[in-house]
Amino acid sequence: MPDVKTLSLVGGVLALLCAATTIGWRLKHQRDIGINPAVVEAFNLRIRAWWLMCTVLAAAFLLGNASFIATVVLFGLISFWALREFITLTPTRLGDHRALSWVFFIFTPAQYILVGMGTGSYGLFSVLIPVYAFLFIPARVALAGDYKRFLERTAKIQAGLMVCVYCLSYAPALLSLSIPNYEGQSPRLLFFFVLVVQLADVLQYAWVNCWAGA
Amino acid sequence: MTGTLLALMAKILAGASVRWIGCQPDTCQRVYFANHTSHLDAIVLWSALPAALRPLTRPVAAKDYWEKGVVRRFMARTFNAMLIDRTDIKVHQSPVDMMLREIGDRQSLIVFPEGGRNTGAEIGEFKSGLYYLAKKRPDLELVPVHIDNLNRVLPRGEFLPVPLLSLVTFGPPMWLEAGEPKVEFLKRSREAVCRLKDL
């Protein structure tokens, strides 16, 4: 049974989301306040995305015993989507194809499987990408024989893997962290982390749209 | 059911965002013609159509590729491909006549007028099939489609796809003008596809 702290956290986030939704709804239905409708539309889309994110996260947290695995799988999927977006925008060449297959189908799942195995595999999971994948990618690209912009291409693939998979995989890894005197409270730590990131996004958006133009 | 599943798979693998510019989805008889860079083109374009149009639309695909193996044959049946034998084309059994016979007065076609998959960045010259289709059935709407980024998802000669995002753009329909020469028409239709690239 969730304790008071968790409930108040969840309640707080729900209240914030409801407030934001109400504001967005009112802005949409007041035509004559001099705010660009496109901005309001973008704001409402963002709120919808936050609802979705919170629902999915909450569902993953509340699954009980399976919640650790569910959260790891969820972040694994987020990594996959993020990496897909990143590589799409990266000007890779045909010679990178096999290396990219390895990145998507071997390294990304392997990293999350190691995270899912808990702290016991920390030794491998902390070096799999920064050491082994980083050596493997240039080797595989070199084997493909396309030397044009070689360093630039491999560096970009490495950067994508680093940011979208390696760094992100530390978020669900928080759950397997055992801090003295705070045992069993790791989900709240992850929740706090996600909340801070989300708030940063909200504030950044609000500041840019309210004051940057003035 | 399997069709929806295949469309979903295409979505995960090739994540196509779809744009309709100067054209709306419609059940009228059409010929969608697109640039061809990957074997996935037919599936992705077909999946980009609204679910209601998919059973009415038949991609024209190479028989030698799609009849190889159980999986490909099953997939070809699911996206109701019209398989054309590229190696066995006879004068009295021209593919254009066969296509027109198969679609009757209900179905639409997806064709890739470049003939084969092209590897370069430029869209290749169009083969004349599109012209004869338009000439024999002037009532068909010809819709140019540009598919972007799929050559990176599954390039020529590769077996394993890399999941990237692609972009499918449908352009305004065109028709064969009265008395328009073949070369002119093919050039015009090729430009219609090229133009969508930069929109």
Side-chain angles (χ1 to χ4, degrees):
Chain A
M1 192 60 213
D3 52 321
V4 182
K5 270 190 203 162
T6 311
L7 279 180
S8 52
L9 268 175
V10 172
V13 171
L14 270 180
L16 265 178
L17 274 176
C18 287
T21 311
T22 317
I23 293 170
W25 188 79
R26 287 206 52 184
L27 284 177
K28 196 177 168 185
H29 291 272
Q30 280 180 340
R31 293 264 165 241
D32 48 345
I33 43 173
I35 299 180
N36 186 353
V39 173
V40 176
E41 183 58 26
F43 179 69
N44 282 327
L45 276 178
R46 231 163 227 251
I47 293 172
R48 213 172 305 154
W50 292 327
W51 272 110
L52 189 72
M53 243 181 295
C54 288
T55 316
V56 172
L57 266 179
F61 285 163
L62 294 177
L63 271 174
N65 288 332
S67 72
F68 176 55
I69 297 301
T71 312
V72 172
V73 170
L74 177 67
F75 274 88
L77 289 173
I78 295 173
S79 268
F80 176 80
W81 282 313
L83 187 64
R84 193 169 76 159
E85 196 101 27
F86 190 104
I87 299 293
T88 300
L89 297 174
T90 308
T92 62
R93 288 166 62 81
L94 274 186
D96 301 334
H97 190 81
R98 290 289 169 87
L100 287 175
S101 293
W102 276 84
V103 164
F104 274 102
F105 296 118
I106 308 288
F107 286 116
T108 306
Q111 175 74 5
Y112 277 92
I113 287 169
L114 289 174
V115 170
M117 280 159 64
T119 38
S121 62
Y122 177 73
L124 186 54
F125 121 75
S126 61
V127 295
L128 177 73
I129 285 173
V131 178
Y132 296 107
F134 271 36
L135 289 172
F136 180 84
I137 291 166
R140 191 63 194 82
V141 173
L143 277 181
D146 183 357
Y147 54 82
K148 204 170 175 189
R149 296 189 287 109
F150 175 79
L151 282 178
E152 188 188 332
R153 279 154 52 208
T154 53
K156 280 176 177 168
I157 298 172
Q158 287 172 336
L161 193 58
M162 189 72 182
V163 171
C164 301
V165 180
Y166 183 74
C167 294
L168 204 59
S169 73
Y170 273 79
L174 282 177
L175 290 181
S176 58
L177 204 59
S178 160
I179 306 167
N181 302 328
Y182 290 93
E183 279 86 3
Q185 300 199 38
S186 311
R188 216 175 287 146
L189 195 59
L190 179 57
F191 187 92
F192 172 73
F193 175 65
V194 175
L195 188 67
V196 169
V197 173
Q198 286 300 306
L199 281 179
D201 185 48
V202 178
L203 292 178
Q204 179 273 130
Y205 182 78
W207 249 250
V208 164
N209 281 294
C210 296
W211 283 282
Chain B
M1 174 60 205
T2 46
T4 317
L5 215 66
L6 192 70
L8 194 74
M9 221 177 69
K11 192 112 203 156
I12 292 170
L13 224 52
S17 37
V18 183
R19 299 186 298 171
W20 293 80
I21 297 174
C23 180
Q24 287 298 319
D26 198 331
T27 51
C28 69
Q29 274 195 292
R30 278 173 169 168
V31 177
Y32 302 93
F33 61 100
N35 57 325
H36 196 19
T37 52
S38 163
H39 277 309
L40 290 177
D41 283 344
I43 298 183
V44 169
L45 210 172
W46 181 79
S47 309
L49 294 167
L53 293 187
R54 282 182 217 143
L56 292 173
T57 311
R58 309 201 49 188
V60 177
K63 197 170 189 169
D64 48 287
Y65 180 80
W66 289 103
E67 288 231 305
K68 217 181 271 169
V70 184
V71 179
R72 283 184 199 166
R73 219 169 318 161
F74 174 74
M75 282 194 339
R77 201 162 339 127
T78 308
F79 68 89
N80 58 54
M82 190 185 295
L83 298 180
I84 300 281
D85 196 338
R86 289 189 289 192
T87 52
D88 183 35
I89 292 171
K90 295 176 189 126
V91 181
H92 58 277
Q93 181 79 353
S94 92
V96 170
D97 288 334
M98 189 190 136
M99 287 176 208
L100 291 176
R101 204 165 49 237
E102 289 261 327
I103 60 171
D105 54 6
R106 275 188 70 230
Q107 295 182 325
S108 298
L109 280 174
I110 295 175
V111 296
F112 300 100
E114 283 169 280
R117 290 163 294 152
N118 89 333
T119 38
E122 281 286 300
I123 297 172
E125 293 295 320
F126 280 8
K127 299 258 165 76
S128 52
L130 188 66
Y131 170 77
Y132 292 114
L133 271 176
K135 199 168 179 194
K136 287 183 178 166
R137 284 287 303 275
D139 57 310
L140 296 177
E141 274 189 14
L142 308 176
V143 179
V145 184
H146 185 261
I147 306 175
D148 202 11
N149 228 8
L150 263 190
N151 54 336
R152 287 174 66 204
V153 177
L154 186 68
R156 202 182 180 129
E158 289 290 344
F159 168 71
L160 213 59
V162 164
L164 296 176
L165 302 170
S166 56
L167 176 63
V168 180
T169 312
F170 293 85
M174 52 181 278
W175 289 269
L176 177 65
E177 303 289 333
E180 190 176 8
K182 189 173 91 178
V183 180
E184 287 290 302
F185 170 76
L186 291 177
K187 204 173 141 220
R188 190 161 67 93
S189 51
R190 182 177 169 271
E191 269 158 17
V193 174
C194 289
R195 204 172 54 83
L196 296 173
K197 191 178 182 177
D198 307 316
L199 282 181

